[in-house]
Amino acid sequence: MKSKVNIKTVSYYATLGILVIFFLMPAYMAVVTALKQPGDITLPTSWDLPATLNWASFSEAFAMLRPNLVNSFILTICATAGSTILGSLNGYVFSKWKFKGSEIIFTLFLFGMFIPYQVILIPLFQTLRAMNLYGGLPGLILAHIVYGLPITSLIFRNFYAQIPDSLIESARLDGAGFFSVYLKLVFPLSIPGFVVTSLWQFTQIWNEFLWAITLTRHSENPITVGLANLAGGQAVSWNLPMAGSIMAALPVLCIYIFLGRYFIRGLLAGSVKE
Amino acid sequence: MADTISQIRAAFHRKSYLFFLGPSLIIMGSLTLYPMVYGIKLSLTRYNLVRPWIPKTFVGLKNFTDFFSDEYLVKSLWVTFKFAMGTVALQVFIGLLVALVLHQILKKTSLLRFMVLLPMLIVPVVTGIIWRLILNDTYGVLNWIIQWLGIAPQLWLGPDLALITVIIVETWAWLPFSILLFSLGLSSIPEQYYEAAAIDGAGPWRTFFTITLPNLRWTLFIVLVFKFSDALKAFDTIYTLTGGGPGIATRALALYVQNRGFTDFEIGYAMALSILVLTISFIIIGPFISRLDKQYE
Amino acid sequence: MAEVILENITKSFGKTEVVHNVSAHFHDGEFIVIVGPSGCGKSTVLRMIAGLEEVSGGNIKIGDKLVNNLEPKDRRIAMVFQNYALYPHMNVYNNMAYGLRLQKHSKVEIERRVQEAAQLLQLGEYLQRRPRQLSGGQRQRVAMGRALVRKPEVFLFDEPLSNLDAKLRHQMRVELKKMHKNLGTTMIYVTHDQVEAMTLADKIVVVNKGRIEQIGSPDEIYNAPASMFVAGFIGCPPMNFLPAQHSNGGLSLENGFIIPAKDLLIPSDTRQLIVGIRPEKIEFSHLQRESGWLEVDIDFIEKLGSGKLLYTTIGPQQLILSMANGDDRHITRGWIRFPAEALYFFSHQDGSLLKVKSS
């Protein structure tokens, strides 16, 4: 019995240790490299802590990536807001106001969730050009709203399925119509749903690269494209892209640090419905 | 009079869902259906953006029949297949293993949970860049480690190892997803099942195969579908890590489509390729969607 | 105050009809209980009266007004749901006031009505609490209060007590009855619990498989059930049923025993029938008796405190006897008799009550 416990404990800590190294090594490398002088980045010492802290990497990278960061914030906030709000409206209809054909529309929505981005890239590019939206942020925002809708609608539909129908009926008896049921009852109860979907959307849109590089002009490039350009040159001094990478990762990380537990809880609520 | 108003209101009421669904349907229609139709039309033409003097011509199914003589397509399909198999196997196996060992503490320790989630949150482009540094043959820490272990430094992104490296980095980036799903799946198995099995005298292996695994069927199914469909989409990490190279050693399907469309500007052919990708991914996810629907009924 | 009239109501979901041709006339101020097994369509009928489901055919009148196409809120009804359906994000006061605000009542009027209801239901100190901070019984009261403040012409209840524990259920039942006495408003109450039906109703509607089996006062339903279904559904323990052959001179049960029934005028074409008798009407003796008494083995005894139930079998049929306490000897066998005046006769084919005259 005793030896069993030991094997269990050992395997616990061994797994933990390997995981920590495997998951954290890249983060460690990024931080350490970002803080070094360009000249200090060499093979034998790449693992070491920097001799002197070179905070200048961050200010330099920030100066270079500032426009991209601004673009990314505009893009991500607008597209996240758009796709979650519309997703919530759709989820409300799909779960509480089913009509003839709503199941079919919903299934079509689901397929939309799995369309690989690159498949739609070319015609989307052409369509946005025809709509005179190619190259700027509004076009990219619109594209992200549209392709975020399936997942946000799905999450909200499952979320609203947990609100008992009798609650809606009760509000109808009280005299609330379609809109006031949403505004006064469903919306106030959806805050956890909004947390989950907006976290998901924020991460997706902030991190997205392919559309960003294809659908925007240089001046409108979001951070992912800016970073790729910064790291793309061959004679690259590694401290700058690393500092940039850390800055690019920060917004999402911060959000998860503050709201992460709601995210897990929300996922749990949606996925283990018995 | 009041009754008539109430009746009109009731009729209006029954249609008011259109106000909510309408905007989504309109923008989705204009940015998915229209591009789809347009894309299908394009796939039937020869259309090259950089040679505008060659007019856009209707070529029927030629782009599709060209698939059979396109050796690059075959190679990128093969790369995609190996990439999919490698990433799916690693992520399912390691993900399940880690979830089994750690799901109890994962539930309780938010720091560990955050650490496990970390790679998933990092911008994929950043993942590529950081790993390029780690894997760099002259500066990279990985070569430093293996030299310290007495092994000759390797060209991690060279022709022999690039695909394996790409698979490992992709696994690093998306392992959290499968760990998360598996540990959610594990915590949804009622404790009584294990207690009943213990009373029946089942050992750890038997318990795993008769209780844990069958109850993780749905989770396993989700992970498989998502991972296979992700493998078809894989772009960001490969693009920043190797750009599809060296040569075409890591040029998976997504990169090939992008190359043909935006490097060679053969829009028609690239569109036909896109339709191929879409068909493959719908074949993979079709059964999933039909079950997903039932799951939530 | 209003009467409720159902005229040939039907309801179909897709191609399946779940409510068939239901007609009923509920008078002003009556306490109506619609009772039936789960899935019999009783809730659907209630929801059609409320306007939450559309009728597929027929008419519903509340007062003298046809309400088929009226919105729920315009039908002057109030409904209490099984799970109470309290708005989780509003406190008790706002739960009750919400509907009144939508009806554009003045602030003063809303305050007056809510305070009145709160006092009646002893909710005064909980007005600022959220539903989740309340006990099951308190939530139930809030749900009642929400219906009360609307001052409806008809109250609708959809199994409102079934989420409460037994003791609380009894208490609420009494309060509900009192409330009806004070208000005098028409109430329509749906339940699967025959005890609630018997204790609450002025008029019981027994529903089975989407059809009305019988409408009547609790006494009528209990003493003159229109069918085997009603007889078996109302009463606890349920009525005993024994298949029998009718021959001149008596009714022979499956074990060969003959119930003497010379003076019963059973239509001569009926040979096979079902005999029903309530458990408390069977006479029992542990002393040996002769003619007209049947000797039985008592399989086991269920003690209820206030009385006891004896279980025996006749052929393949289980028979339950209900007895008062008193004789505490361990009974293993005894003699039973079926008094002719306590017997019911049902058709072998469709379970309907056979009209039998005793001469």
Side-chain angles (χ1 to χ4, degrees):
Chain A
M1 202 62 210
K2 203 168 183 182
S3 70
K4 237 183 187 172
V5 171
N6 279 337
I7 289 169
K8 225 178 170 182
T9 331
V10 166
S11 67
Y12 251 52
Y13 287 104
T15 321
L16 260 176
I18 294 168
L19 270 184
V20 169
I21 293 170
F22 187 60
F23 280 149
L24 291 190
M25 184 178 69
Y28 171 80
M29 288 303 302
V31 175
V32 168
T33 313
L35 289 170
K36 281 178 184 168
Q37 302 288 348
D40 292 346
I41 304 166
T42 54
L43 177 59
T45 62
S46 62
W47 189 238
D48 298 352
L49 289 168
T52 51
L53 294 182
N54 176 22
W55 291 103
S57 311
F58 283 94
S59 48
E60 213 176 312
F62 182 69
M64 293 169 86
L65 295 173
R66 212 174 83 136
N68 304 116
L69 279 169
V70 172
N71 287 339
S72 266
F73 273 112
I74 297 173
L75 163 73
T76 311
I77 289 169
C78 293
T80 303
S83 57
T84 37
I85 291 168
L86 285 177
S88 155
L89 301 184
N90 295 341
Y92 172 55
V93 173
F94 285 139
S95 74
K96 297 295 176 212
W97 296 88
K98 288 186 184 153
F99 55 95
K100 231 181 206 159
S102 66
E103 291 294 308
I104 298 168
I105 296 181
F106 181 68
T107 310
L108 286 177
F109 263 56
L110 284 184
F111 272 102
M113 196 162 81
F114 292 92
I115 295 177
Y117 277 17
Q118 77 270 9
V119 166
I120 206 73
L121 188 62
I122 295 161
L124 187 62
F125 164 76
Q126 299 280 14
T127 311
L128 286 177
R129 227 165 51 157
M131 293 166 83
N132 226 351
L133 285 171
Y134 168 74
L137 284 179
L140 191 57
I141 289 171
L142 194 61
H144 275 298
I145 290 178
V146 168
Y147 284 86
L149 276 179
I151 182 86
T152 57
S153 305
L154 173 71
I155 295 175
F156 275 110
R157 176 185 180 259
N158 294 342
F159 186 79
Y160 292 149
Q162 297 166 347
I163 297 179
D165 286 346
S166 60
L167 214 55
I168 311 284
E169 289 169 348
S170 180
R172 280 185 65 195
L173 289 173
D174 273 344
F178 180 86
F179 299 103
S180 28
V181 168
Y182 180 78
L183 283 176
K184 293 279 163 58
L185 185 61
V186 173
F187 182 75
L189 294 175
S190 334
I191 305 305
F194 272 99
V195 171
V196 173
T197 41
S198 46
L199 267 178
W200 177 262
Q201 281 303 95
F202 191 95
T203 314
Q204 290 298 305
I205 298 166
W206 183 271
N207 289 353
E208 203 279 328
F209 176 60
L210 177 63
W211 283 4
I213 197 174
T214 328
L215 298 178
T216 54
R217 279 187 299 274
H218 186 73
S219 61
E220 313 276 316
N221 283 162
I223 183 70
T224 46
V225 182
L227 259 182
N229 292 339
L230 184 62
Q234 276 307 309
V236 74
S237 54
W238 280 101
N239 58 325
L240 287 185
M242 287 305 129
S245 299
I246 293 167
M247 284 191 293
L250 274 183
V252 174
L253 291 186
C254 288
I255 289 180
Y256 272 83
I257 288 170
F258 292 118
L259 298 173
R261 54 206 175 96
Y262 298 104
F263 182 67
I264 307 264
R265 212 177 292 158
L267 272 184
L268 202 66
S271 62
V272 291
K273 197 182 154 221
E274 51 270 50
Chain B
M1 185 58 199
D3 292 358
T4 330
I5 292 173
S6 175
Q7 287 181 21
I8 294 170
R9 213 183 284 143
F12 175 75
H13 194 116
R14 280 192 284 276
K15 292 287 169 210
S16 36
Y17 61 83
L18 284 174
F19 286 93
F20 274 27
L21 215 49
S24 300
L25 291 179
I26 292 168
I27 61 168
M28 279 192 90
S30 60
L31 283 189
T32 57
L33 282 184
Y34 176 73
M36 287 281 202
V37 173
Y38 184 74
I40 292 170
K41 226 175 80 189
L42 272 181
S43 74
L44 303 174
T45 59
R46 189 173 62 216
Y47 179 32
N48 192 314
L49 270 184
V50 284
R51 296 191 197 111
W53 56 90
I54 306 176
K56 189 156 78 171
T57 44
F58 180 78
V59 294
L61 292 174
K62 180 169 184 304
N63 286 326
F64 291 92
T65 50
D66 280 354
F67 287 166
F68 297 100
S69 51
D70 183 353
E71 54 177 321
Y72 291 116
L73 173 61
V74 176
K75 277 181 184 145
S76 83
L77 276 172
W78 183 229
V79 167
T80 309
F81 178 74
K82 285 193 280 194
F83 180 81
M85 284 308 177
T87 52
V88 170
L90 280 179
Q91 289 178 50
V92 167
F93 184 72
I94 302 177
L96 184 56
L97 203 68
V98 172
L100 276 174
V101 178
L102 296 182
H103 95 272
Q104 290 296 348
I105 27 179
L106 271 179
K107 259 201 298 196
K108 284 179 221 128
T109 324
S110 56
L111 182 70
L112 185 68
R113 204 168 52 212
F114 177 71
M115 200 195 76
V116 168
L117 275 178
L118 186 68
M120 200 168 87
L121 306 180
I122 291 179
V123 188
V125 170
V126 170
T127 306
I129 295 170
I130 294 178
W131 278 93
R132 236 165 73 200
L133 172 69
I134 293 169
L135 300 165
N136 189 296
D137 39 326
T138 43
Y139 311 117
V141 71
L142 196 60
N143 272 343
W144 181 80
I145 292 173
I146 65 163
Q147 268 180 310
W148 183 72
L149 292 170
I151 306 167
Q154 300 290 323
L155 273 175
W156 295 107
L157 296 173
D160 302 332
L161 290 175
L163 187 58
I164 295 171
T165 307
V166 164
I167 288 173
I168 289 171
V169 173
E170 178 78 7
T171 304
W172 178 83
W174 286 104
L175 195 56
F177 178 80
S178 53
I179 294 178
L180 193 67
L181 281 186
F182 280 127
S183 58
L184 287 178
L186 283 173
S187 43
S188 70
I189 302 176
E191 195 59 35
Q192 289 97 309
Y193 291 4
Y194 290 105
E195 287 163 359
I199 290 165
D200 287 342
W205 286 106
R206 188 167 266 272
T207 310
F208 176 76
F209 283 108
T210 54
I211 310 279
T212 310
L213 214 49
N215 280 294
L216 282 181
R217 260 184 330 214
W218 174 243
T219 313
L220 197 65
F221 183 62
I222 294 180
V223 173
L224 284 177
V225 168
F226 271 87
K227 288 294 107 190
F228 271 113
S229 109
D230 275 356
L232 282 174
K233 295 187 214 173
F235 181 83
D236 303 3
T237 322
I238 306 180
Y239 183 87
T240 38
L241 212 51
T242 67
I248 56 164
T250 56
R251 188 161 76 173
L253 212 44
L255 281 105
Y256 184 57
V257 177
Q258 212 262 356
N259 282 178
R260 294 303 289 252
F262 290 86
T263 314
D264 307 342
F265 293 105
E266 292 174 40
I267 301 293
Y269 189 66
M271 205 51 238
L273 285 173
S274 301
I275 291 170
L276 175 71
V277 176
L278 194 64
T279 313
I280 299 174
S281 52
F282 279 179
I283 289 171
I284 296 173
I285 60 161
F288 169 69
I289 285 183
S290 61
R291 279 216 228 169
L292 187 72
D293 235 11
K294 278 182 208 116
Q295 182 84 359
Y296 286 106
E297 274 319 301
Chain C
M1 308 275 156
E3 55 180 12
V4 177
I5 301 169
L6 311 180
E7 290 173 355
N8 304 317
I9 301 297
T10 59
K11 176 69 189 177
S12 311
F13 291 109
K15 277 185 183 147
T16 37
E17 194 173 278
V18 292
V19 172
H20 319 281
N21 222 20
V22 163
S23 296
H25 190 143
F26 305 142
H27 295 286
D28 185 17
E30 273 184 328
F31 199 123
I32 311 292
V33 175
I34 304 178
V35 67
S38 57
C40 71
K42 58 188 189 299
S43 281
T44 312
V45 171
L46 192 76
R47 291 166 58 82
M48 286 192 288
I49 298 172
L52 296 171
E53 305 276 0
E54 285 175 58
V55 292
S56 307
N59 287 325
I60 296 177
K61 288 178 188 159
I62 297 177
D64 43 9
K65 198 190 277 177
L66 184 69
V67 297
N68 282 18
N69 296 315
L70 284 192
E71 280 282 273
K73 69 183 168 86
D74 299 321
R75 297 189 178 197
R76 309 169 93 168
I77 46 119
M79 183 158 169
V80 176
F81 292 86
Q82 181 174 3
N83 61 2
Y84 318 141
L86 301 180
Y87 308 127
H89 58 300
M90 296 182 194
N91 63 25
V92 170
Y93 185 94
N94 287 331
N95 259 288
M96 293 200 258
Y98 181 62
L100 298 178
R101 290 200 188 110
L102 286 171
Q103 287 174 14
K104 309 259 189 285
H105 285 285
S106 72
K107 265 208 165 106
V108 185
E109 172 70 5
I110 294 174
E111 175 75 22
R112 199 180 59 76
R113 287 203 197 178
V114 172
Q115 290 299 348
E116 198 181 80
Q119 198 175 7
L120 190 71
L121 295 163
Q122 293 146 25
L123 284 168
E125 51 188 306
Y126 305 110
L127 284 176
Q128 297 310 318
R129 297 226 190 143
R130 293 279 175 92
R132 88 168 69 87
Q133 298 165 301
L134 301 176
S135 72
Q138 289 164 341
R139 288 180 203 181
Q140 168 67 53
R141 283 165 202 276
V142 178
M144 297 272 190
R146 203 167 56 176
L148 269 180
V149 294
R150 304 190 58 193
K151 298 197 186 296
E153 296 191 333
V154 180
F155 281 96
L156 306 175
F157 297 94
D158 189 3
E159 311 222 9
L161 304 184
S162 57
N163 283 2
L164 299 176
D165 64 51
K167 202 174 161 194
L168 212 50
R169 201 174 337 175
H170 177 249
Q171 193 186 328
M172 287 307 294
R173 216 163 64 202
V174 175
E175 285 186 31
L176 201 61
K177 190 73 186 168
K178 261 194 234 161
M179 200 168 102
H180 177 247
K181 216 174 140 193
N182 290 335
L183 295 172
T185 315
T186 314
M187 293 187 173
I188 304 178
Y189 185 107
V190 160
T191 181
H192 61 268
D193 182 350
Q194 55 95 21
V195 179
E196 281 177 19
M198 292 298 286
T199 50
L200 286 171
D202 295 325
K203 193 188 262 180
I204 295 179
V205 180
V206 184
V207 179
N208 184 33
K209 293 178 182 158
R211 283 194 176 77
I212 292 183
E213 292 268 338
Q214 190 174 3
I215 301 182
S217 70
D219 284 342
E220 282 165 9
I221 298 274
Y222 190 79
N223 294 324
S227 66
M228 249 175 97
F229 175 81
V230 176
F233 195 79
I234 303 287
C236 179
M239 185 183 277
N240 294 298
F241 296 113
L242 299 165
Q245 299 272 342
H246 169 234
S247 52
N248 37 354
L251 299 153
S252 62
L253 301 182
E254 288 189 337
N255 66 346
F257 177 72
I258 293 175
I259 303 175
K262 274 199 189 99
D263 45 356
L264 286 175
L265 293 177
I266 294 167
S268 57
D269 55 331
T270 321
R271 284 200 46 80
Q272 290 226 315
L273 48 77
I274 311 270
V275 175
I277 184 163
R278 296 223 177 255
E280 64 271 22
K281 292 290 167 72
I282 302 174
E283 289 175 23
F284 177 81
S285 165
H286 51 266
L287 301 170
Q288 185 164 354
R289 300 292 187 99
E290 298 280 318
S291 80
W293 289 76
L294 170 65
E295 187 181 5
V296 290
D297 292 325
I298 302 301
D299 301 329
F300 62 97
I301 298 172
E302 233 178 11
K303 295 199 172 167
L304 300 177
S306 60
K308 60 191 167 193
L309 300 178
L310 274 52
Y311 286 78
T312 181
T313 49
I314 291 183
Q317 235 52 47
Q318 186 178 60
L319 195 75
I320 305 175
L321 289 73
S322 171
M323 287 176 65
N325 281 326
D327 194 341
D328 270 349
R329 262 177 298 181
H330 186 65
I331 309 166
T332 53
R333 53 197 297 109
W335 284 261
I336 58 173
R337 193 177 84 88
F338 305 105
E341 67 278 7
L343 295 180
Y344 297 90
F345 304 99
F346 299 101
S347 154
H348 179 75
Q349 278 92 23
D350 60 4
S352 62
L353 188 77
L354 296 176
K355 297 271 183 263
V356 173
K357 274 176 266 168
S358 67
S359 57

